[in-house]
PDB file of all heavy atoms in Angstrom:
ATOM      1  N   GLY F 232       4.975 -18.063   3.506  1.00 96.00           N
ATOM      2  CA  GLY F 232       6.372 -17.931   3.892  1.00 96.00           C
ATOM      3  C   GLY F 232       7.243 -17.694   2.686  1.00 96.00           C
ATOM      4  O   GLY F 232       6.802 -17.175   1.655  1.00 96.00           O
ATOM      5  N   SER F 233       8.481 -18.102   2.781  1.00 94.00           N
ATOM      6  CA  SER F 233       9.436 -17.845   1.713  1.00 94.00           C
ATOM      7  C   SER F 233       9.166 -18.719   0.500  1.00 94.00           C
ATOM      8  O   SER F 233       8.602 -19.819   0.607  1.00 94.00           O
ATOM      9  CB  SER F 233      10.864 -18.100   2.206  1.00 94.00           C
ATOM     10  OG  SER F 233      11.092 -19.487   2.383  1.00 94.00           O
ATOM     11  N   THR F 234       9.593 -18.233  -0.657  1.00 93.00           N
ATOM     12  CA  THR F 234       9.419 -19.000  -1.889  1.00 93.00           C
ATOM     13  C   THR F 234      10.210 -20.298  -1.843  1.00 93.00           C
ATOM     14  O   THR F 234       9.740 -21.336  -2.329  1.00 93.00           O
ATOM     15  CB  THR F 234       9.845 -18.143  -3.092  1.00 93.00           C
ATOM     16  OG1 THR F 234       8.977 -17.001  -3.176  1.00 93.00           O
ATOM     17  CG2 THR F 234       9.751 -18.923  -4.393  1.00 93.00           C
ATOM     18  N   ALA F 235      11.389 -20.278  -1.237  1.00 93.00           N
ATOM     19  CA  ALA F 235      12.218 -21.485  -1.171  1.00 93.00           C
ATOM     20  C   ALA F 235      11.513 -22.592  -0.401  1.00 93.00           C
ATOM     21  O   ALA F 235      11.453 -23.748  -0.842  1.00 93.00           O
ATOM     22  CB  ALA F 235      13.566 -21.161  -0.532  1.00 93.00           C
ATOM     23  N   VAL F 236      10.955 -22.260   0.762  1.00 95.00           N
ATOM     24  CA  VAL F 236      10.241 -23.268   1.549  1.00 95.00           C
ATOM     25  C   VAL F 236       8.946 -23.656   0.842  1.00 95.00           C
ATOM     26  O   VAL F 236       8.550 -24.819   0.853  1.00 95.00           O
ATOM     27  CB  VAL F 236       9.961 -22.740   2.968  1.00 95.00           C
ATOM     28  CG1 VAL F 236       9.119 -23.749   3.760  1.00 95.00           C
ATOM     29  CG2 VAL F 236      11.271 -22.470   3.700  1.00 95.00           C
ATOM     30  N   GLY F 237       8.297 -22.687   0.204  1.00 95.00           N
ATOM     31  CA  GLY F 237       7.076 -22.977  -0.531  1.00 95.00           C
ATOM     32  C   GLY F 237       7.282 -24.008  -1.624  1.00 95.00           C
ATOM     33  O   GLY F 237       6.415 -24.861  -1.871  1.00 95.00           O
ATOM     34  N   ARG F 238       8.432 -23.928  -2.287  1.00 95.00           N
ATOM     35  CA  ARG F 238       8.729 -24.925  -3.333  1.00 95.00           C
ATOM     36  C   ARG F 238       8.789 -26.325  -2.736  1.00 95.00           C
ATOM     37  O   ARG F 238       8.278 -27.298  -3.312  1.00 95.00           O
ATOM     38  CB  ARG F 238      10.060 -24.598  -4.007  1.00 95.00           C
ATOM     39  CG  ARG F 238      10.045 -23.389  -4.916  1.00 95.00           C
ATOM     40  CD  ARG F 238      11.304 -23.372  -5.772  1.00 95.00           C
ATOM     41  NE  ARG F 238      11.506 -22.077  -6.384  1.00 95.00           N
ATOM     42  CZ  ARG F 238      12.356 -21.149  -5.956  1.00 95.00           C
ATOM     43  NH1 ARG F 238      13.096 -21.387  -4.880  1.00 95.00           N
ATOM     44  NH2 ARG F 238      12.479 -20.002  -6.574  1.00 95.00           N
ATOM     45  N   ARG F 239       9.432 -26.445  -1.564  1.00 95.00           N
ATOM     46  CA  ARG F 239       9.558 -27.763  -0.942  1.00 95.00           C
ATOM     47  C   ARG F 239       8.191 -28.302  -0.515  1.00 95.00           C
ATOM     48  O   ARG F 239       7.885 -29.479  -0.721  1.00 95.00           O
ATOM     49  CB  ARG F 239      10.501 -27.688   0.270  1.00 95.00           C
ATOM     50  CG  ARG F 239      11.938 -27.376  -0.094  1.00 95.00           C
ATOM     51  CD  ARG F 239      12.897 -27.811   0.995  1.00 95.00           C
ATOM     52  NE  ARG F 239      12.715 -27.072   2.241  1.00 95.00           N
ATOM     53  CZ  ARG F 239      13.312 -25.923   2.524  1.00 95.00           C
ATOM     54  NH1 ARG F 239      14.116 -25.364   1.631  1.00 95.00           N
ATOM     55  NH2 ARG F 239      13.119 -25.341   3.686  1.00 95.00           N
ATOM     56  N   ILE F 240       7.392 -27.435   0.076  1.00 95.00           N
ATOM     57  CA  ILE F 240       6.062 -27.863   0.507  1.00 95.00           C
ATOM     58  C   ILE F 240       5.197 -28.202  -0.707  1.00 95.00           C
ATOM     59  O   ILE F 240       4.460 -29.193  -0.702  1.00 95.00           O
ATOM     60  CB  ILE F 240       5.411 -26.770   1.375  1.00 95.00           C
ATOM     61  CG1 ILE F 240       6.129 -26.710   2.722  1.00 95.00           C
ATOM     62  CG2 ILE F 240       3.916 -27.034   1.560  1.00 95.00           C
ATOM     63  CD1 ILE F 240       5.670 -25.606   3.624  1.00 95.00           C
ATOM     64  N   GLY F 241       5.296 -27.399  -1.753  1.00 93.00           N
ATOM     65  CA  GLY F 241       4.551 -27.689  -2.970  1.00 93.00           C
ATOM     66  C   GLY F 241       4.932 -29.028  -3.567  1.00 93.00           C
ATOM     67  O   GLY F 241       4.068 -29.780  -4.048  1.00 93.00           O
ATOM     68  N   ALA F 242       6.222 -29.340  -3.541  1.00 94.00           N
ATOM     69  CA  ALA F 242       6.680 -30.621  -4.077  1.00 94.00           C
ATOM     70  C   ALA F 242       6.128 -31.788  -3.271  1.00 94.00           C
ATOM     71  O   ALA F 242       5.705 -32.811  -3.833  1.00 94.00           O
ATOM     72  CB  ALA F 242       8.207 -30.662  -4.091  1.00 94.00           C
ATOM     73  N   ILE F 243       6.114 -31.628  -1.939  1.00 94.00           N
ATOM     74  CA  ILE F 243       5.570 -32.685  -1.081  1.00 94.00           C
ATOM     75  C   ILE F 243       4.084 -32.880  -1.366  1.00 94.00           C
ATOM     76  O   ILE F 243       3.596 -33.998  -1.565  1.00 94.00           O
ATOM     77  CB  ILE F 243       5.781 -32.337   0.406  1.00 94.00           C
ATOM     78  CG1 ILE F 243       7.272 -32.395   0.767  1.00 94.00           C
ATOM     79  CG2 ILE F 243       4.990 -33.289   1.305  1.00 94.00           C
ATOM     80  CD1 ILE F 243       7.586 -31.847   2.155  1.00 94.00           C
ATOM     81  N   ALA F 244       3.347 -31.762  -1.403  1.00 90.00           N
ATOM     82  CA  ALA F 244       1.894 -31.836  -1.566  1.00 90.00           C
ATOM     83  C   ALA F 244       1.494 -32.393  -2.924  1.00 90.00           C
ATOM     84  O   ALA F 244       0.644 -33.295  -3.019  1.00 90.00           O
ATOM     85  CB  ALA F 244       1.273 -30.460  -1.356  1.00 90.00           C
ATOM     86  N   THR F 245       2.105 -31.871  -3.972  1.00 88.00           N
ATOM     87  CA  THR F 245       1.730 -32.348  -5.306  1.00 88.00           C
ATOM     88  C   THR F 245       2.178 -33.784  -5.525  1.00 88.00           C
ATOM     89  O   THR F 245       1.509 -34.540  -6.245  1.00 88.00           O
ATOM     90  CB  THR F 245       2.325 -31.442  -6.398  1.00 88.00           C
ATOM     91  OG1 THR F 245       3.747 -31.342  -6.225  1.00 88.00           O
ATOM     92  CG2 THR F 245       1.712 -30.067  -6.344  1.00 88.00           C
ATOM     93  N   GLY F 246       3.275 -34.182  -4.883  1.00 94.00           N
ATOM     94  CA  GLY F 246       3.714 -35.569  -4.990  1.00 94.00           C
ATOM     95  C   GLY F 246       2.722 -36.536  -4.365  1.00 94.00           C
ATOM     96  O   GLY F 246       2.653 -37.707  -4.751  1.00 94.00           O
ATOM     97  N   MET F 247       1.941 -36.042  -3.403  1.00 96.00           N
ATOM     98  CA  MET F 247       0.917 -36.861  -2.758  1.00 96.00           C
ATOM     99  C   MET F 247      -0.478 -36.555  -3.317  1.00 96.00           C
ATOM    100  O   MET F 247      -1.473 -37.021  -2.780  1.00 96.00           O
ATOM    101  CB  MET F 247       0.944 -36.618  -1.244  1.00 96.00           C
ATOM    102  CG  MET F 247       2.277 -36.961  -0.592  1.00 96.00           C
ATOM    103  SD  MET F 247       2.308 -36.609   1.190  1.00 96.00           S
ATOM    104  CE  MET F 247       1.268 -37.941   1.799  1.00 96.00           C
ATOM    105  N   VAL F 248      -0.523 -35.754  -4.390  1.00 95.00           N
ATOM    106  CA  VAL F 248      -1.767 -35.341  -5.040  1.00 95.00           C
ATOM    107  C   VAL F 248      -2.704 -34.655  -4.032  1.00 95.00           C
ATOM    108  O   VAL F 248      -3.897 -34.954  -3.952  1.00 95.00           O
ATOM    109  CB  VAL F 248      -2.475 -36.512  -5.746  1.00 95.00           C
ATOM    110  CG1 VAL F 248      -3.463 -35.988  -6.783  1.00 95.00           C
ATOM    111  CG2 VAL F 248      -1.468 -37.421  -6.431  1.00 95.00           C
ATOM    112  N   LYS F 249      -2.128 -33.744  -3.260  1.00 95.00           N
ATOM    113  CA  LYS F 249      -2.912 -32.916  -2.355  1.00 95.00           C
ATOM    114  C   LYS F 249      -3.093 -31.545  -2.975  1.00 95.00           C
ATOM    115  O   LYS F 249      -2.259 -31.073  -3.743  1.00 95.00           O
ATOM    116  CB  LYS F 249      -2.187 -32.709  -1.022  1.00 95.00           C
ATOM    117  CG  LYS F 249      -1.953 -33.932  -0.197  1.00 95.00           C
ATOM    118  CD  LYS F 249      -1.240 -33.540   1.089  1.00 95.00           C
ATOM    119  CE  LYS F 249      -0.927 -34.756   1.929  1.00 95.00           C
ATOM    120  NZ  LYS F 249      -0.314 -34.408   3.220  1.00 95.00           N
ATOM    121  N   LYS F 250      -4.154 -30.885  -2.584  1.00 96.00           N
ATOM    122  CA  LYS F 250      -4.334 -29.494  -2.960  1.00 96.00           C
ATOM    123  C   LYS F 250      -3.364 -28.647  -2.144  1.00 96.00           C
ATOM    124  O   LYS F 250      -3.081 -28.947  -0.981  1.00 96.00           O
ATOM    125  CB  LYS F 250      -5.773 -29.061  -2.707  1.00 96.00           C
ATOM    126  CG  LYS F 250      -6.145 -27.733  -3.345  1.00 96.00           C
ATOM    127  CD  LYS F 250      -7.630 -27.445  -3.195  1.00 96.00           C
ATOM    128  CE  LYS F 250      -7.986 -26.130  -3.877  1.00 96.00           C
ATOM    129  NZ  LYS F 250      -9.422 -25.792  -3.728  1.00 96.00           N
TER     130      LYS F 250
END
Side-chain angles (χ1 to χ4, degrees):
S233 71
T234 297
V236 176
R238 288 194 195 101
R239 294 201 295 272
I240 289 175
I243 291 171
T245 55
M247 300 178 73
V248 199
K249 296 181 183 184
K250 193 173 182 181

